[in-house]
Each structure stands twice: as structure tokens, then as C-alpha cells.
Amino acid sequence: MRLFKNSYSFEYPWDQVTAANWKKYPNEVSTHVIAVDVLKRELIDNGQKLVSERLITVKQGVPKWIMMAMGGTNVSYVREVSVVDLANRSLTLRSCNMSYSNILKVYETVKYNPHPEDPVNKTLFEQEAQITAYGAFTKICNKMEEWSVQRFHDNALKGKKGFDSVLEVFDKHWVQREKYVDDLGNSIVGKVADTVEDIKTTAEEMLKETEMKSNSILTRHYDSIKNAFKRNENM
Amino acid sequence: MGNVMSASFAPECTDLKKEYDSCFNEWYSEKFLKGKSVENECSKQWYAYTACVDTHLTRQGIKSALDEARKEAPFEDGGAIKDQE
């Protein structure tokens, strides 16, 4: 078992980061994430905690012949459980791969909290992944785990950049939304629907125009995991 | 796809998912984050969407892997792993 850790800060308030989290996919860079489904969702503790279970569907860009050699499809699944805790101002996401989990299992925990140095304006991101290789691969487990950790490390920074760009777009949207809400205060009820439509359209256009990336280790690295398998076959 | 909201793993459920998502995102920013809600208000969209999802989870053979994952990291524990050595 190996551990991978990482942390950095986002220049946006916690509220905003958590709202953007639900809208991260699809985006033009993370085309490997083809679907996100909510399987279960509960509001508990008198409206203070929101717990969600999501299924993330990943399609990897692995050549067909590799897929055939491995006898699999090119679609994989990740299960994620997240908790938004208003009282503690925390968002925690725990994910694990459901596909190929008998060979390599990655448990990823991501936490978003208001940054201790600037809680109002910044968000601290902490990421931890526990990587375990199993089974018939025992001999090369260590090598595989080591290699996986290195890959995660190399790609983590790219992911950070990606979510930054999502947040930047979302920030504009957020500010604009507040403006609309203010306007609404002075307008009549009949305009609500139109205004909401406007906000949505504007937001969608902005999101579309901007390149967005994911920062999830699990979803980014199916390609790497697959290739690791291929390499191991040759060893 | 022209929509910013993501698709469902089952194409048959994508429209229902989008209806649910737009309701949820509105609720999340305007009510939940502001501490104004003690219930999730999108239940109509939610039931329609999850009924579709449940059917296709079984049909596409994802259900058993999901059940296993749920046993290992229960929803009730916020997805934390149960028997960690």
C-alpha cells in the first residue's frame, strides 16, 4: 500500500468552490469523464449536512487492441461519496474505483475547507490517495504502486490548474448571479422565470467557452492504470 | 452536446438527470448554502431520475459492483472505508 498526498489553495471562497464541484463535468479537456450520476442523496442534521453518492463513468483513450487483450470494455466506473458540512465548512469527497478493483484499488479522499490563513477568500484543497495492488500481480505490486504514485504526482499539478479555470468561470457567473438576485428584489414575480433562464444561458455559454479540467486522481488515471497492466504483462 | 450538465451513464436517463440537476444546482446555491433549507426540494425530479437510474444499473450489470463498494465504504459513514487494516 502506498500513500499519495497533496495540497494547495484556491483563490475562491469555500461556498463557491463547493457549488462549482457539482458542475465540473462535462468539460472540454476531461473528455474521459462521459457521465456523472447521483445515486443517493440525503440532507441530514437539520439541513446542515448534504451527503451524496455519485457514479462517475470514465471512458479511456486506450487503443482497442489493449482492451481486447485485457478482455474488458473501455468504460470504467468510480463511486464517490461526498459530504458537505455547513457547520464545519467542509466538503469531503471519498472515491474508489469499481472497475479493475481486484487488481488495483485507489481510495481517494479530497477535502475542501476555508483556508486557515484567509477563510473568507481562499479554499484549502487536500488530497490523499491510498493505492494498493493485488492478486496475481503480487511480484510486481511494489513496482506498480511506486509507478502509480509517481504518475499521480506528475498529474496532480495539471489537475489543480484545471479546477482553477473552472472556478474562474464560475466566479464570473457567481458575481453576475448576485447582481441578478439584487435586480430581482425590485422586479415583479412574473420576471423570475425569464431572469433565471438568462442566468442559466449566460453561465452555460461562459462554461462552454472555457477549457475546463478535472482534478480527480481516479478519473484522470485510468489510462495510466491500464497502461501499467499492459507493461506488467510484458515483464 | 451543447448542455453544460453532464450526461447519465444510461442515455435513457439523461433528460431526467438534467431536469434534476438544474433544480438541484439552484437549490444548492440559493437555499442549502444559505442555510435556508431543511429538505431537498427537488423530490419530484429526483424520483423520476433515480427510478430510471436504478433500472439501468441492474440492466447494465453495474449493480453488483456497486453493492460491493457500498459494503466496503458505506454511505452512512460518508464513504469511509470500513475494515481498514
Side-chain angles (χ1 to χ4, degrees):
Chain A
M1 204 254 291
R2 309 265 159 166
L3 270 181
F4 166 85
K5 280 189 178 187
N6 197 21
S7 71
Y8 30 71
S9 60
F10 287 110
E11 308 291 311
Y12 299 93
W14 180 81
D15 289 35
Q16 214 166 312
V17 172
T18 70
N21 176 58
W22 306 118
K23 299 184 174 185
K24 224 159 68 179
Y25 306 110
N27 63 63
E28 284 156 27
V29 176
S30 300
T31 50
H32 58 301
V33 174
I34 56 167
V36 180
D37 285 273
V38 188
L39 304 181
K40 215 170 170 184
R41 180 165 270 156
E42 282 177 18
L43 185 65
I44 55 172
D45 291 0
N46 207 23
Q48 291 294 296
K49 263 189 200 173
L50 182 72
V51 189
S52 311
E53 179 187 52
R54 296 199 295 181
L55 177 76
I56 296 158
T57 306
V58 182
K59 189 176 189 175
Q60 43 274 338
V62 175
K64 235 180 201 156
W65 63 270
I66 293 185
M67 303 311 305
M68 282 167 74
M70 291 185 54
T73 66
N74 63 341
V75 172
S76 309
Y77 301 101
V78 171
R79 174 182 178 255
E80 170 205 274
V81 178
S82 62
V83 181
V84 187
D85 186 337
L86 276 187
N88 293 313
R89 311 288 283 169
S90 68
L91 164 60
T92 306
L93 304 108
R94 294 189 174 90
S95 332
C96 185
N97 56 307
M98 279 167 48
S99 308
Y100 309 103
S101 56
N102 54 333
I103 305 168
L104 189 73
K105 201 167 247 184
V106 182
Y107 280 108
E108 179 185 7
T109 304
V110 167
K111 287 182 184 170
Y112 294 94
N113 286 97
H115 202 290
E117 285 162 20
D118 188 358
V120 177
N121 301 310
K122 285 187 186 179
T123 301
L124 179 65
F125 168 95
E126 292 168 287
Q127 182 179 40
E128 193 182 293
Q130 181 188 306
I131 303 148
T132 313
Y134 294 107
F137 292 87
T138 311
K139 277 186 194 165
I140 44 88
C141 270
N142 278 346
K143 226 172 232 178
M144 219 168 123
E145 287 175 357
E146 236 170 69
W147 180 85
S148 303
V149 169
Q150 188 52 45
R151 294 289 299 180
F152 291 154
H153 183 79
D154 293 347
N155 283 286
L157 281 177
K158 289 185 208 163
K160 144 86 167 149
K161 229 185 207 171
F163 198 44
D164 259 337
S165 68
V166 173
L167 287 164
E168 195 181 311
V169 173
F170 199 72
D171 190 48
K172 290 182 203 155
H173 166 207
W174 193 270
V175 170
Q176 196 164 358
R177 180 183 207 119
E178 294 297 334
K179 195 194 82 177
Y180 273 114
V181 171
D182 285 348
D183 288 349
L184 271 180
N186 304 320
S187 90
I188 50 168
V189 183
K191 280 188 178 168
V192 171
D194 289 347
T195 313
V196 170
E197 270 316 304
D198 280 352
I199 297 171
K200 281 180 189 158
T201 311
T202 314
E204 277 173 23
E205 275 163 13
M206 284 194 294
L207 285 163
K208 254 184 278 175
E209 279 165 16
T210 306
E211 285 194 336
M212 295 179 290
K213 298 167 195 168
S214 111
N215 67 336
S216 165
I217 283 180
L218 273 172
T219 52
R220 285 191 72 88
H221 295 280
Y222 265 115
D223 283 4
S224 315
I225 293 170
K226 290 278 194 169
N227 288 328
F229 295 166
K230 193 59 203 167
R231 279 161 49 131
N232 291 322
E233 275 173 20
N234 298 332
M235 285 165 86
Chain B
M1 271 196 305
N3 202 305
V4 285
M5 279 181 240
S6 63
S8 169
F9 76 99
E12 297 87 343
C13 308
T14 296
D15 286 346
L16 292 169
K17 177 191 150 55
K18 285 177 178 170
E19 275 175 42
Y20 169 70
D21 275 352
S22 58
C23 180
F24 170 79
N25 285 321
E26 193 73 18
W27 172 84
Y28 185 84
S29 298
E30 298 307 320
K31 298 214 171 155
F32 173 75
L33 279 181
K34 295 176 179 169
K36 285 187 194 165
S37 188
V38 290
E39 59 172 340
N40 193 333
E41 289 164 22
C42 304
S43 56
K44 197 183 128 214
Q45 293 90 332
W46 171 254
Y47 288 121
Y49 165 55
T50 50
C52 183
V53 164
D54 287 343
T55 305
H56 287 90
L57 281 176
T58 309
R59 206 172 282 174
Q60 296 192 21
I62 305 168
K63 192 69 188 356
S64 58
L66 182 65
D67 287 341
E68 207 173 297
R70 282 174 168 166
K71 241 185 273 167
E72 272 176 15
F75 180 86
E76 293 71 23
D77 302 340
I81 318 163
K82 207 154 199 181
D83 47 357
Q84 183 126 50
E85 293 132 301

